[in-house]
mmCIF file of all heavy atoms in Angstrom:
data_model
loop_
_atom_site.group_PDB
_atom_site.id
_atom_site.type_symbol
_atom_site.label_atom_id
_atom_site.label_comp_id
_atom_site.label_asym_id
_atom_site.label_seq_id
_atom_site.Cartn_x
_atom_site.Cartn_y
_atom_site.Cartn_z
ATOM 1 N N GLU A 1 -5.003 3.355 -26.664
ATOM 2 C CA GLU A 1 -4.679 2.719 -27.948
ATOM 3 C C GLU A 1 -5.054 3.625 -29.105
ATOM 4 O O GLU A 1 -4.339 3.695 -30.114
ATOM 5 C CB GLU A 1 -5.388 1.371 -28.048
ATOM 6 C CG GLU A 1 -4.884 0.338 -27.051
ATOM 7 C CD GLU A 1 -5.671 -0.963 -27.099
ATOM 8 O OE1 GLU A 1 -6.926 -0.907 -27.060
ATOM 9 O OE2 GLU A 1 -5.044 -2.028 -27.192
ATOM 10 N N HIS A 2 -6.193 4.310 -28.996
ATOM 11 C CA HIS A 2 -6.578 5.282 -30.026
ATOM 12 C C HIS A 2 -5.565 6.411 -30.109
ATOM 13 O O HIS A 2 -5.287 6.930 -31.194
ATOM 14 C CB HIS A 2 -7.962 5.852 -29.716
ATOM 15 C CG HIS A 2 -9.093 4.916 -29.993
ATOM 16 N ND1 HIS A 2 -9.491 4.586 -31.267
ATOM 17 C CD2 HIS A 2 -9.914 4.240 -29.148
ATOM 18 C CE1 HIS A 2 -10.510 3.742 -31.203
ATOM 19 N NE2 HIS A 2 -10.786 3.525 -29.933
ATOM 20 N N ALA A 3 -5.041 6.803 -28.967
ATOM 21 C CA ALA A 3 -4.101 7.922 -28.939
ATOM 22 C C ALA A 3 -2.686 7.501 -29.311
ATOM 23 O O ALA A 3 -1.798 8.352 -29.404
ATOM 24 C CB ALA A 3 -4.103 8.555 -27.541
ATOM 25 N N GLY A 4 -2.478 6.209 -29.523
ATOM 26 C CA GLY A 4 -1.147 5.721 -29.866
ATOM 27 C C GLY A 4 -0.163 5.811 -28.717
ATOM 28 O O GLY A 4 1.034 5.981 -28.925
ATOM 29 N N GLU A 5 -0.670 5.689 -27.495
ATOM 30 C CA GLU A 5 0.166 5.803 -26.316
ATOM 31 C C GLU A 5 0.279 4.463 -25.600
ATOM 32 O O GLU A 5 -0.578 3.591 -25.740
ATOM 33 C CB GLU A 5 -0.415 6.841 -25.342
ATOM 34 C CG GLU A 5 -0.571 8.231 -25.935
ATOM 35 C CD GLU A 5 -1.320 9.156 -24.995
ATOM 36 O OE1 GLU A 5 -1.873 8.647 -23.986
ATOM 37 O OE2 GLU A 5 -1.365 10.367 -25.271
ATOM 38 N N ALA A 6 1.312 4.321 -24.814
ATOM 39 C CA ALA A 6 1.427 3.156 -23.936
ATOM 40 C C ALA A 6 0.480 3.357 -22.751
ATOM 41 O O ALA A 6 0.238 4.491 -22.325
ATOM 42 C CB ALA A 6 2.864 3.006 -23.447
ATOM 43 N N PRO A 7 -0.068 2.279 -22.207
ATOM 44 C CA PRO A 7 -0.957 2.439 -21.041
ATOM 45 C C PRO A 7 -0.193 3.028 -19.867
ATOM 46 O O PRO A 7 0.965 2.667 -19.639
ATOM 47 C CB PRO A 7 -1.418 1.006 -20.756
ATOM 48 C CG PRO A 7 -0.407 0.122 -21.399
ATOM 49 C CD PRO A 7 0.099 0.872 -22.594
ATOM 50 N N PRO A 8 -0.814 3.912 -19.116
ATOM 51 C CA PRO A 8 -0.132 4.521 -17.962
ATOM 52 C C PRO A 8 -0.149 3.638 -16.725
ATOM 53 O O PRO A 8 0.154 4.105 -15.630
ATOM 54 C CB PRO A 8 -0.942 5.808 -17.741
ATOM 55 C CG PRO A 8 -2.320 5.454 -18.186
ATOM 56 C CD PRO A 8 -2.142 4.498 -19.348
ATOM 57 N N PHE A 9 -0.537 2.390 -16.890
ATOM 58 C CA PHE A 9 -0.585 1.446 -15.772
ATOM 59 C C PHE A 9 -0.096 0.080 -16.252
ATOM 60 O O PHE A 9 -0.063 -0.201 -17.450
ATOM 61 C CB PHE A 9 -2.005 1.325 -15.216
ATOM 62 C CG PHE A 9 -3.044 1.013 -16.264
ATOM 63 C CD1 PHE A 9 -3.246 -0.284 -16.726
ATOM 64 C CD2 PHE A 9 -3.825 2.023 -16.803
ATOM 65 C CE1 PHE A 9 -4.190 -0.567 -17.702
ATOM 66 C CE2 PHE A 9 -4.775 1.754 -17.776
ATOM 67 C CZ PHE A 9 -4.955 0.457 -18.224
ATOM 68 N N ASP A 10 0.287 -0.772 -15.324
ATOM 69 C CA ASP A 10 0.633 -2.154 -15.642
ATOM 70 C C ASP A 10 -0.633 -2.998 -15.633
ATOM 71 O O ASP A 10 -1.563 -2.739 -14.860
ATOM 72 C CB ASP A 10 1.618 -2.722 -14.616
ATOM 73 C CG ASP A 10 3.018 -2.179 -14.816
ATOM 74 O OD1 ASP A 10 3.324 -1.727 -15.933
ATOM 75 O OD2 ASP A 10 3.799 -2.204 -13.850
ATOM 76 N N SER A 11 -0.665 -4.012 -16.482
ATOM 77 C CA SER A 11 -1.821 -4.906 -16.554
ATOM 78 C C SER A 11 -1.360 -6.340 -16.366
ATOM 79 O O SER A 11 -0.364 -6.767 -16.958
ATOM 80 C CB SER A 11 -2.527 -4.761 -17.910
ATOM 81 O OG SER A 11 -3.675 -5.573 -17.956
ATOM 82 N N ILE A 12 -2.085 -7.085 -15.534
ATOM 83 C CA ILE A 12 -1.799 -8.492 -15.275
ATOM 84 C C ILE A 12 -3.042 -9.296 -15.620
ATOM 85 O O ILE A 12 -4.142 -8.988 -15.149
ATOM 86 C CB ILE A 12 -1.406 -8.729 -13.806
ATOM 87 C CG1 ILE A 12 -0.093 -8.014 -13.487
ATOM 88 C CG2 ILE A 12 -1.263 -10.221 -13.512
ATOM 89 C CD1 ILE A 12 0.351 -8.187 -12.042
ATOM 90 N N GLY A 13 -2.878 -10.333 -16.443
ATOM 91 C CA GLY A 13 -3.982 -11.217 -16.761
ATOM 92 C C GLY A 13 -4.148 -12.294 -15.707
ATOM 93 O O GLY A 13 -3.219 -12.564 -14.937
ATOM 94 N N PRO A 14 -5.317 -12.924 -15.647
ATOM 95 C CA PRO A 14 -5.570 -13.938 -14.623
ATOM 96 C C PRO A 14 -5.033 -15.315 -14.974
ATOM 97 O O PRO A 14 -5.211 -16.259 -14.212
ATOM 98 C CB PRO A 14 -7.101 -13.960 -14.557
ATOM 99 C CG PRO A 14 -7.526 -13.644 -15.960
ATOM 100 C CD PRO A 14 -6.492 -12.672 -16.497
ATOM 101 N N GLU A 15 -4.368 -15.459 -16.127
ATOM 102 C CA GLU A 15 -3.994 -16.780 -16.615
ATOM 103 C C GLU A 15 -2.902 -17.444 -15.778
ATOM 104 O O GLU A 15 -2.681 -18.651 -15.879
ATOM 105 C CB GLU A 15 -3.522 -16.682 -18.072
ATOM 106 C CG GLU A 15 -4.595 -16.210 -19.041
ATOM 107 C CD GLU A 15 -4.785 -14.686 -19.025
ATOM 108 O OE1 GLU A 15 -3.931 -13.991 -18.418
ATOM 109 O OE2 GLU A 15 -5.783 -14.202 -19.575
ATOM 110 N N GLY A 16 -2.213 -16.668 -14.944
ATOM 111 C CA GLY A 16 -1.102 -17.227 -14.183
ATOM 112 C C GLY A 16 -1.488 -18.006 -12.952
ATOM 113 O O GLY A 16 -0.608 -18.496 -12.242
ATOM 114 N N GLY A 17 -2.792 -18.129 -12.653
ATOM 115 C CA GLY A 17 -3.232 -18.893 -11.503
ATOM 116 C C GLY A 17 -2.748 -18.285 -10.191
ATOM 117 O O GLY A 17 -2.718 -17.064 -10.016
ATOM 118 N N PRO A 18 -2.330 -19.116 -9.224
ATOM 119 C CA PRO A 18 -1.911 -18.609 -7.904
ATOM 120 C C PRO A 18 -0.748 -17.628 -7.965
ATOM 121 O O PRO A 18 -0.600 -16.789 -7.072
ATOM 122 C CB PRO A 18 -1.512 -19.889 -7.158
ATOM 123 C CG PRO A 18 -2.265 -20.982 -7.827
ATOM 124 C CD PRO A 18 -2.354 -20.588 -9.277
ATOM 125 N N LEU A 19 0.083 -17.708 -8.996
ATOM 126 C CA LEU A 19 1.207 -16.778 -9.106
ATOM 127 C C LEU A 19 0.738 -15.344 -9.283
ATOM 128 O O LEU A 19 1.466 -14.400 -8.974
ATOM 129 C CB LEU A 19 2.103 -17.182 -10.274
ATOM 130 C CG LEU A 19 2.853 -18.515 -10.119
ATOM 131 C CD1 LEU A 19 3.673 -18.803 -11.370
ATOM 132 C CD2 LEU A 19 3.740 -18.481 -8.883
ATOM 133 N N VAL A 20 -0.489 -15.172 -9.799
ATOM 134 C CA VAL A 20 -1.033 -13.825 -9.949
ATOM 135 C C VAL A 20 -1.174 -13.162 -8.580
ATOM 136 O O VAL A 20 -0.803 -11.993 -8.387
ATOM 137 C CB VAL A 20 -2.394 -13.871 -10.670
ATOM 138 C CG1 VAL A 20 -3.064 -12.497 -10.644
ATOM 139 C CG2 VAL A 20 -2.217 -14.338 -12.105
ATOM 140 N N ALA A 21 -1.716 -13.902 -7.607
ATOM 141 C CA ALA A 21 -1.879 -13.352 -6.259
ATOM 142 C C ALA A 21 -0.528 -12.988 -5.652
ATOM 143 O O ALA A 21 -0.392 -11.958 -4.971
ATOM 144 C CB ALA A 21 -2.615 -14.349 -5.371
ATOM 145 N N VAL A 22 0.480 -13.815 -5.891
ATOM 146 C CA VAL A 22 1.813 -13.537 -5.361
ATOM 147 C C VAL A 22 2.362 -12.228 -5.933
ATOM 148 O O VAL A 22 2.904 -11.384 -5.206
ATOM 149 C CB VAL A 22 2.771 -14.701 -5.678
ATOM 150 C CG1 VAL A 22 4.195 -14.354 -5.262
ATOM 151 C CG2 VAL A 22 2.308 -15.979 -4.984
ATOM 152 N N GLU A 23 2.194 -12.042 -7.238
ATOM 153 C CA GLU A 23 2.690 -10.823 -7.875
ATOM 154 C C GLU A 23 1.929 -9.596 -7.376
ATOM 155 O O GLU A 23 2.531 -8.523 -7.148
ATOM 156 C CB GLU A 23 2.570 -10.936 -9.393
ATOM 157 C CG GLU A 23 3.069 -9.733 -10.162
ATOM 158 C CD GLU A 23 4.532 -9.419 -9.899
ATOM 159 O OE1 GLU A 23 5.305 -10.362 -9.626
ATOM 160 O OE2 GLU A 23 4.910 -8.229 -9.982
ATOM 161 N N LEU A 24 0.617 -9.727 -7.201
ATOM 162 C CA LEU A 24 -0.165 -8.590 -6.708
ATOM 163 C C LEU A 24 0.245 -8.228 -5.278
ATOM 164 O O LEU A 24 0.293 -7.035 -4.933
ATOM 165 C CB LEU A 24 -1.655 -8.923 -6.774
ATOM 166 C CG LEU A 24 -2.242 -9.081 -8.188
ATOM 167 C CD1 LEU A 24 -3.706 -9.475 -8.107
ATOM 168 C CD2 LEU A 24 -2.089 -7.804 -8.995
ATOM 169 N N MET A 25 0.536 -9.229 -4.449
ATOM 170 C CA MET A 25 0.993 -8.938 -3.091
ATOM 171 C C MET A 25 2.314 -8.175 -3.107
ATOM 172 O O MET A 25 2.515 -7.242 -2.323
ATOM 173 C CB MET A 25 1.136 -10.237 -2.291
ATOM 174 C CG MET A 25 -0.180 -10.789 -1.788
ATOM 175 S SD MET A 25 0.022 -12.102 -0.560
ATOM 176 C CE MET A 25 0.677 -13.416 -1.591
ATOM 177 N N LYS A 26 3.203 -8.550 -4.020
ATOM 178 C CA LYS A 26 4.474 -7.836 -4.129
ATOM 179 C C LYS A 26 4.242 -6.364 -4.445
ATOM 180 O O LYS A 26 4.896 -5.476 -3.880
ATOM 181 C CB LYS A 26 5.340 -8.471 -5.216
ATOM 182 C CG LYS A 26 5.888 -9.852 -4.881
ATOM 183 C CD LYS A 26 6.721 -10.384 -6.045
ATOM 184 C CE LYS A 26 7.274 -11.771 -5.747
ATOM 185 N NZ LYS A 26 8.054 -12.309 -6.910
ATOM 186 N N ARG A 27 3.328 -6.108 -5.324
ATOM 187 C CA ARG A 27 3.083 -4.717 -5.737
ATOM 188 C C ARG A 27 2.408 -3.909 -4.636
ATOM 189 O O ARG A 27 2.679 -2.720 -4.475
ATOM 190 C CB ARG A 27 2.267 -4.700 -7.033
ATOM 191 C CG ARG A 27 3.032 -5.414 -8.154
ATOM 192 C CD ARG A 27 2.398 -5.280 -9.497
ATOM 193 N NE ARG A 27 3.179 -6.019 -10.490
ATOM 194 C CZ ARG A 27 3.301 -5.670 -11.756
ATOM 195 N NH1 ARG A 27 2.698 -4.581 -12.203
ATOM 196 N NH2 ARG A 27 4.030 -6.392 -12.585
ATOM 197 N N LEU A 28 1.527 -4.550 -3.887
ATOM 198 C CA LEU A 28 0.924 -3.860 -2.754
ATOM 199 C C LEU A 28 1.978 -3.513 -1.715
ATOM 200 O O LEU A 28 1.967 -2.412 -1.141
ATOM 201 C CB LEU A 28 -0.177 -4.738 -2.137
ATOM 202 C CG LEU A 28 -1.461 -4.861 -2.951
ATOM 203 C CD1 LEU A 28 -2.349 -5.953 -2.366
ATOM 204 C CD2 LEU A 28 -2.218 -3.530 -3.002
ATOM 205 N N ARG A 29 2.896 -4.439 -1.474
ATOM 206 C CA ARG A 29 3.938 -4.185 -0.477
ATOM 207 C C ARG A 29 4.903 -3.094 -0.921
ATOM 208 O O ARG A 29 5.631 -2.527 -0.097
ATOM 209 C CB ARG A 29 4.662 -5.486 -0.161
ATOM 210 C CG ARG A 29 3.818 -6.417 0.701
ATOM 211 C CD ARG A 29 4.380 -7.795 0.833
ATOM 212 N NE ARG A 29 3.549 -8.603 1.723
ATOM 213 C CZ ARG A 29 3.435 -9.927 1.667
ATOM 214 N NH1 ARG A 29 4.100 -10.597 0.723
ATOM 215 N NH2 ARG A 29 2.671 -10.569 2.514
ATOM 216 N N ARG A 30 4.905 -2.803 -2.224
ATOM 217 C CA ARG A 30 5.704 -1.684 -2.723
ATOM 218 C C ARG A 30 4.911 -0.376 -2.712
ATOM 219 O O ARG A 30 5.383 0.645 -3.211
ATOM 220 C CB ARG A 30 6.206 -1.984 -4.139
ATOM 221 C CG ARG A 30 7.218 -3.112 -4.201
ATOM 222 C CD ARG A 30 8.028 -3.070 -5.491
ATOM 223 N NE ARG A 30 7.222 -3.334 -6.671
ATOM 224 C CZ ARG A 30 7.132 -4.527 -7.267
ATOM 225 N NH1 ARG A 30 7.769 -5.574 -6.744
ATOM 226 N NH2 ARG A 30 6.409 -4.689 -8.352
ATOM 227 N N GLY A 31 3.706 -0.428 -2.175
ATOM 228 C CA GLY A 31 2.905 0.786 -2.025
ATOM 229 C C GLY A 31 2.079 1.162 -3.236
ATOM 230 O O GLY A 31 1.633 2.306 -3.348
ATOM 231 N N GLN A 32 1.829 0.229 -4.150
ATOM 232 C CA GLN A 32 1.090 0.543 -5.365
ATOM 233 C C GLN A 32 -0.425 0.463 -5.147
ATOM 234 O O GLN A 32 -0.920 -0.074 -4.147
ATOM 235 C CB GLN A 32 1.488 -0.426 -6.475
ATOM 236 C CG GLN A 32 2.919 -0.309 -6.931
ATOM 237 C CD GLN A 32 3.193 -1.106 -8.193
ATOM 238 O OE1 GLN A 32 2.282 -1.552 -8.876
ATOM 239 N NE2 GLN A 32 4.465 -1.272 -8.514
ATOM 240 N N LEU A 33 -1.144 1.011 -6.136
ATOM 241 C CA LEU A 33 -2.591 0.803 -6.227
ATOM 242 C C LEU A 33 -2.831 -0.421 -7.112
ATOM 243 O O LEU A 33 -2.286 -0.502 -8.215
ATOM 244 C CB LEU A 33 -3.293 2.013 -6.848
ATOM 245 C CG LEU A 33 -3.109 3.379 -6.195
ATOM 246 C CD1 LEU A 33 -3.984 4.413 -6.896
ATOM 247 C CD2 LEU A 33 -3.435 3.322 -4.721
ATOM 248 N N VAL A 34 -3.648 -1.346 -6.636
ATOM 249 C CA VAL A 34 -4.006 -2.530 -7.416
ATOM 250 C C VAL A 34 -5.507 -2.481 -7.683
ATOM 251 O O VAL A 34 -6.314 -2.477 -6.751
ATOM 252 C CB VAL A 34 -3.635 -3.834 -6.677
ATOM 253 C CG1 VAL A 34 -4.228 -5.044 -7.395
ATOM 254 C CG2 VAL A 34 -2.119 -3.968 -6.570
ATOM 255 N N CYS A 35 -5.881 -2.385 -8.965
ATOM 256 C CA CYS A 35 -7.284 -2.275 -9.359
ATOM 257 C C CYS A 35 -7.837 -3.657 -9.713
ATOM 258 O O CYS A 35 -7.242 -4.382 -10.517
ATOM 259 C CB CYS A 35 -7.436 -1.346 -10.559
ATOM 260 S SG CYS A 35 -6.952 0.361 -10.230
ATOM 261 N N MET A 36 -8.989 -3.978 -9.135
ATOM 262 C CA MET A 36 -9.621 -5.273 -9.370
ATOM 263 C C MET A 36 -11.124 -5.082 -9.488
ATOM 264 O O MET A 36 -11.665 -4.039 -9.131
ATOM 265 C CB MET A 36 -9.306 -6.239 -8.217
ATOM 266 C CG MET A 36 -7.834 -6.404 -7.927
ATOM 267 S SD MET A 36 -7.534 -7.413 -6.465
ATOM 268 C CE MET A 36 -8.191 -8.994 -7.029
ATOM 269 N N MET A 37 -11.791 -6.133 -9.988
ATOM 270 C CA MET A 37 -13.241 -6.125 -10.079
ATOM 271 C C MET A 37 -13.836 -7.039 -9.007
ATOM 272 O O MET A 37 -13.378 -8.164 -8.815
ATOM 273 C CB MET A 37 -13.693 -6.595 -11.462
ATOM 274 C CG MET A 37 -13.412 -5.582 -12.551
ATOM 275 S SD MET A 37 -14.375 -4.081 -12.284
ATOM 276 C CE MET A 37 -13.733 -3.051 -13.588
#
């Protein structure tokens, strides 16, 4: 944000409830890295 650039990664908020897990599974099945805490 300081550099005025778009983030080089996609971000998903937790507000979507169970649909969040569904979307993350889709991305894993596409071979992506999913970062979590």
Side-chain angles (χ1 to χ4, degrees):
E1 293 176 310
H2 286 288
E5 302 172 350
F9 52 81
D10 285 338
S11 183
I12 295 179
E15 297 80 11
L19 293 178
V20 172
V22 174
E23 181 59 31
L24 293 177
M25 282 192 290
K26 290 179 180 178
R27 299 188 181 212
L28 287 169
R29 286 170 177 153
R30 293 199 294 263
Q32 294 191 13
L33 303 185
V34 170
C35 296
M36 306 174 65
M37 288 295 175

